[in-house]
Structure formats: structure tokens, C-alpha cells
Amino acid sequence: RGMKRGIVIEDDWPGHSPDLFTYPEHYQEDIECVYIPNGVIMNRIERLARYVLDDFTENIMVLCVLKGGYKFCADLVEFIKILGRNSNTYLETRVEFIRLKSYVNDQSTEELHFMGSRDLSFLRGKSVLIVEAMVDTGKTMKALLKHVETFEPKMVKVAGLLVKRVPTMTEGLTDYVGFEIPNRFVVGYALDYNEYFRDLNHICVISGTGKMKYKI
Ligand code: 5GP
């Protein structure tokens, strides 16, 4: 199932020059390259929506992982609605949000830190679609899946827009992968660097200048 990897971006992909696209002026010096243009992101999400519609047969309980997942979630749900409308397989979507941290003081932990309620009992008996922008080591997703399962949903699928190619990569964790990317830090399309760059539409790599400028 090579399709499972999504669009594979190789390690030697240099990205596009930022000058070839438009982006907020305040990031002029801060972007090294445009890694994935917004248009390509949108086209891929449309395809992911098709996969979702092929798998789900009843109403979808979407669980959006904040903050990074908000744009992906909004666009994916929109495409699910559009495709459903066009193919007479309209499924009702309900969206719930969770905000979590798997890192405490720079340290990745096995424990999930919920910001807000841990109670996900609204998932009981439901067909759940977890929507997350970035799966890196997979620790966060593994812990979340374990937690979600305790509420006994009928079925759980995971959509990850970006999955990093890391040595510890867990195969099969993400059911719908947008892009498999090299182990580089990326921003944009709601992914941040210390809360900056969420307002950038393209997925980009930060420049040295940008890293210095927004360091805390
Ligand atoms: P994991 O538990 O899979 O190692 O980490 C997942 C989380 O790490 C993501 O939800 C995201 O917040 C953060 N993360 C990992 N890689 C990146 C990256 O390249 N860019 C940004 N902005 N966040 C990342």
C-alpha cells in the first residue's frame, strides 16, 4: 500500500523560491523556501476527502487537534461536504476540538497534556475522524488514540496532513496521509514557530533570520 505514504517529498527537494509566490510581507526575510504551495495542499486535501467518503458510511465525528490542525480540519470538512453533495453520499459532519501538548519543557513525554477537558465521552459509539496537521514521532497520536479508544467509539480513523520521515516512524498510524516529508521543521498553513507563521498559506521552511527573529 504505497498510497499510504501520500505525496512523498524526498530529502533533496529544495522547495520553491519564495519569490515565485505571494506571502505576507512581514515574513519577507524569514522564509527559506516554499515547501508545499497552498494550491497543492488544497488539491491533496480534496483527494483525502474522497478517501474519507469511501470509508465512512455514517455521520462523521471529527476530532480536530488544535492549534495546528485548524486549517486542515476546516478545509477537509469543506471538501467532504462538497464531494458528498456532488455524489449523493452526504454525510453529516460534527466537529469537536481538543488542544493538547505532548511536550513539557522541551521534552517529549509519553503522557498527554490536555488543555481543557479530557472527557471525550461524546465519541462513544461514533465513527471518529481524528484530524492532525503533523505527525512527527507519532507519540502524540499514539497517546491520543489510546485515550480515544477508552471511550469506545465505533470506529477511528486518523487524517494527518504531514507525516515526517523519521527513523522511529510508526507505520499505519495515519490512515490518510497528505504528504510524507523529510525530517525538517516546517511552518505555515496553521503550523507555527513560537506562534508565528500560522498566517502563512504555504507550508515553508524558515530561514536562519526567521529562526533568530522569533526565538524565545
Ligand atoms: P509527535 O508527538 O508526533 O512527535 O509530535 C507532534 C507535534 O509536534 C505536532 O502536533 C506539532 O505540534 C509538533 N511538530 C513536530 N514537527 C513539527 C514541525 O515541523 N513544525 C511544527 N510547526 N510543529 C511540529
Side-chain angles (χ1 to χ4, degrees):
R1 298 244 278 165
M3 296 264 283
K4 273 278 200 181
R5 294 172 69 189
I7 295 177
V8 176
I9 298 180
E10 300 294 346
D11 285 347
D12 60 1
W13 167 237
H16 303 284
S17 163
D19 295 340
L20 297 170
F21 296 91
T22 60
Y23 58 92
E25 212 171 72
H26 49 268
Y27 293 135
Q28 188 96 67
E29 317 263 82
D30 312 332
I31 298 164
E32 182 158 309
C33 67
V34 173
Y35 221 46
I36 312 173
N38 184 261
V40 179
I41 298 169
M42 297 303 282
N43 293 148
R44 182 61 188 151
I45 295 175
E46 181 171 7
R47 186 67 179 94
L48 296 185
R50 170 57 60 202
Y51 293 136
V52 171
L53 283 178
D54 287 345
D55 289 348
F56 284 75
T57 53
E58 56 181 67
N59 297 345
I60 307 172
M61 178 66 79
V62 178
L63 191 61
C64 171
V65 182
L66 294 173
K67 291 181 181 178
Y70 89 90
K71 278 183 78 68
F72 177 37
C73 180
D75 289 329
L76 182 62
V77 168
E78 206 50 42
F79 277 122
I80 289 170
K81 289 197 292 189
I82 292 168
L83 293 180
R85 215 152 56 212
N86 292 345
S87 63
N88 266 324
T89 50
Y90 192 87
L91 298 181
E92 190 183 315
T93 45
R94 182 173 150 188
V95 185
E96 293 286 346
F97 300 90
I98 49 165
R99 197 171 157 196
L100 35 94
K101 263 191 182 168
S102 59
Y103 291 79
V104 175
N105 293 330
D106 269 78
Q107 291 297 309
S108 175
T109 63
E110 297 295 326
E111 214 181 306
L112 268 196
H113 292 262
F114 278 79
M115 304 171 76
S117 176
R118 298 177 58 89
D119 179 22
L120 306 179
S121 52
F122 52 84
L123 299 180
R124 192 172 308 278
K126 297 286 196 311
S127 294
V128 180
L129 178 65
I130 298 176
V131 178
E132 162 76 283
M134 169 71 72
V135 179
D136 185 358
T137 62
K139 267 187 188 171
T140 307
M141 189 50 68
K142 253 191 224 164
L144 176 60
L145 270 171
K146 215 168 125 190
H147 184 66
V148 163
E149 296 287 358
T150 64
F151 296 97
E152 301 178 331
K154 185 174 170 188
M155 124 181 181
V156 182
K157 296 276 185 188
V158 176
L161 181 64
L162 305 174
V163 172
K164 276 197 194 170
R165 199 161 46 244
V166 290
T168 52
M169 197 166 151
T170 324
E171 296 275 345
L173 198 60
T174 312
D175 299 284
Y176 315 109
V177 179
F179 303 84
E180 183 191 287
I181 66 167
N183 194 7
R184 302 186 69 173
F185 192 80
V186 294
V187 295
Y189 194 72
L191 285 167
D192 75 312
Y193 173 72
N194 295 331
E195 296 301 324
Y196 289 92
F197 298 105
R198 291 197 203 274
D199 57 340
L200 182 63
N201 279 335
H202 313 293
I203 289 171
C204 299
V205 174
I206 321 175
S207 66
T209 314
K211 266 197 184 149
M212 290 294 285
K213 198 161 149 188
Y214 304 115
K215 204 173 183 147
I216 45 171

